[in-house]
Amino acid sequence: MLRMIAGLEEITAGVLRIGERQVNEMEPKDRDVAMVFQDYALYPHMSIRENIGFGLKMRGWKAEEIAPRVEHSAGILQISDYLDRKPGQLSGGQRQRVAMGRAIVREPSVFLFDEPLSNLDAKLRVEMRTQIKRLHAMLGTTTVYVTHDQTEAMTLADKVVVLKDGHIVQEGPPMTLYNEPNCRFVAEFIGSPQMNIFSGTVQRTAEATLLKIPGAELQLGEIDLADGMSIDVGIRPEHLEPAPSGGETIFAQVEVIEPLGSDTMAICRVGDNELTARLDSQMPLSVGQSIGLKFSQSDLHFFDPKSGSRL
C-alpha cells in the first residue's frame, strides 16, 4: 500500500489522490511524498549531513540552500552533534532519526512510515514513538504509518485502519476500535493484553443468563440472548475486578503471576479456558489460588462464532 502511494507499484483499479491531486499516472519524484523505511536505508559511505541532504542534492538544490534545511531538520530530531559521522557510528535509534531527517528536510505533503520502529529495542521504541508523535504535532503533515504493533497504532494514530487479507476490516479513531470492535479479529488485535474470548452456549434460567463453556460457566446477568445459541463472549483483562465474597461472576484459578509494578497480570484457568486479568499490584495473589472476578455487563462484547462479526 505504501509503495502504491509512493508510486513504486502500479494500482490496478481506483483513484489515488494526494490532497486535491490525482496521482495515478504521476512519477514518484513528482508526488511529493517521503518514505521512512524499516531498515533505515542510509548510505553507509556518506556522512549524516550528506545522507539527510541527498534527496535535495538530487533535485538540483545548491549546497548553500541544502545546508540550512539539513541543520534545521537535525535540530528538530536532536542529531545535530552527529552530522559529520557515518551511519555505522550511530545506534539504531539515532539512525532511525537520520532516516526521518532525510524525509523531513524535503517538507513533503505526505510522510510514509514502513514499520520504522520494529528493529529497535523496547526502550528505544517507546522513545522514538514519543519523538514521532511530537514531530507530527510540530509539522502537522499527513502521515501514513504501517505497523503490526497495536500499541503504536493506538498511541500514534488519529485514525486506525485495520487490514486483514488485503481488506479493510474496520477504521476509525483508536478508542472507537477499542470500545466498539466490529469483529473478533479487531477485538483481539486492539488492546494489550488482548481481549479474553470465551466460546460457549447460552443457557437461560429464571434468575440470569449463563454462558456454558468447557469445564465452567459464566454468569452474564440479565442479558437478552436466545437460549441454546452458540456465541463468543469477550471481556478485556482491565475490565475484570476482584469480586466480593458471594458475588463472584467468574471463578478462576491463578496459574501465573506477572508483576508489572503499577499492576499485576494474573493468568488464570477457567474450566478449559485461559483468562488474563489486569489487577491492582497490591492485591495478594498466589499460584493455585481460586479467585472470583466480576465485570460490568456493558464491558462485554458478543461475536458470531462462525463469521466473527459483532452481534
Side-chain angles (χ1 to χ4, degrees):
M1 185 177 68
L2 293 185
R3 289 174 63 83
M4 287 191 287
I5 296 171
L8 305 177
E9 296 275 358
E10 282 190 27
I11 64 174
T12 53
V15 173
L16 177 61
R17 289 191 179 89
I18 298 176
E20 300 300 319
R21 299 177 300 142
Q22 182 173 326
V23 300
N24 291 47
E25 307 300 326
M26 200 174 283
E27 290 293 320
K29 64 183 177 62
D30 300 323
R31 295 194 180 194
D32 195 24
V33 302
M35 195 159 177
V36 178
F37 296 91
Q38 181 176 357
D39 58 358
Y40 321 133
L42 302 178
Y43 299 107
H45 63 287
M46 293 184 184
S47 69
I48 302 308
R49 189 186 307 276
E50 292 169 326
N51 264 284
I52 294 176
F54 185 73
L56 299 180
K57 182 180 178 181
M58 293 301 292
R59 283 170 171 75
W61 285 47
K62 297 178 181 178
E64 59 268 26
E65 296 174 313
I66 296 173
R69 292 281 284 268
V70 171
E71 293 284 353
H72 178 66
S73 296
I76 290 173
L77 294 165
Q78 301 173 7
I79 52 173
S80 299
D81 294 342
Y82 313 130
L83 287 175
D84 295 318
R85 298 186 189 181
K86 298 287 178 62
Q89 297 173 283
L90 304 185
S91 68
Q94 290 165 343
R95 275 181 278 176
Q96 191 56 273
R97 278 187 273 173
V98 174
M100 289 165 58
R102 187 175 53 190
I104 292 169
V105 76
R106 292 173 47 195
E107 298 182 358
S109 298
V110 181
F111 288 120
L112 306 177
F113 283 82
D114 180 16
E115 298 197 59
L117 309 185
S118 59
N119 289 334
L120 305 180
D121 63 42
K123 182 175 182 290
L124 264 179
R125 274 203 302 273
V126 174
E127 291 177 4
M128 287 303 299
R129 202 168 68 214
T130 303
Q131 189 84 13
I132 291 171
K133 186 130 187 175
R134 186 180 290 126
L135 182 66
H136 182 261
M138 187 185 305
L139 301 177
T141 304
T142 296
T143 301
V144 182
Y145 189 109
V146 171
T147 180
H148 288 90
D149 186 326
Q150 60 89 28
T151 301
E152 286 178 25
M154 287 289 289
T155 55
L156 290 174
D158 301 298
K159 178 181 182 181
V160 177
V161 179
V162 180
L163 294 169
K164 182 184 181 186
D165 301 327
H167 298 280
I168 293 175
V169 181
Q170 187 174 1
E171 58 184 292
M175 290 309 297
T176 298
L177 272 63
Y178 174 84
N179 291 318
E180 302 170 24
N182 67 0
C183 65
R184 178 169 173 168
F185 178 79
V186 175
E188 292 183 294
F189 176 71
I190 299 292
S192 180
Q194 72 176 34
M195 182 184 289
N196 299 296
I197 302 285
F198 298 100
S199 300
T201 304
V202 175
Q203 180 179 347
R204 299 292 298 271
T205 69
E207 295 79 26
T209 301
L210 304 177
L211 180 71
K212 304 285 286 187
I213 61 174
E217 61 182 34
L218 308 182
Q219 300 175 24
L220 302 181
E222 298 180 11
I223 292 179
D224 188 18
L225 296 171
D227 189 55
M229 75 180 294
S230 296
I231 196 171
D232 290 348
V233 178
I235 178 71
R236 295 198 181 280
E238 54 270 31
H239 293 154
L240 292 165
E241 299 177 11
S245 177
E248 296 86 353
T249 303
I250 301 177
F251 291 100
Q253 186 172 41
V254 179
E255 291 191 333
V256 178
I257 302 168
E258 297 181 345
L260 299 178
S262 59
D263 44 33
T264 296
M265 295 299 170
I267 292 85
C268 307
R269 180 65 50 186
V270 179
D272 295 343
N273 293 261
E274 188 174 273
L275 171 147
T276 301
R278 185 190 289 269
L279 303 172
D280 189 289
S281 60
Q282 303 306 311
M283 180 179 174
L285 289 173
S286 59
V287 173
Q289 175 184 354
S290 181
I291 60 174
L293 298 168
K294 65 176 182 178
F295 51 79
S296 170
Q297 290 182 15
S298 62
D299 290 326
L300 293 177
H301 302 264
F302 301 98
F303 305 102
D304 182 284
K306 291 183 179 179
S307 68
S309 299
R310 184 183 184 91
L311 297 175

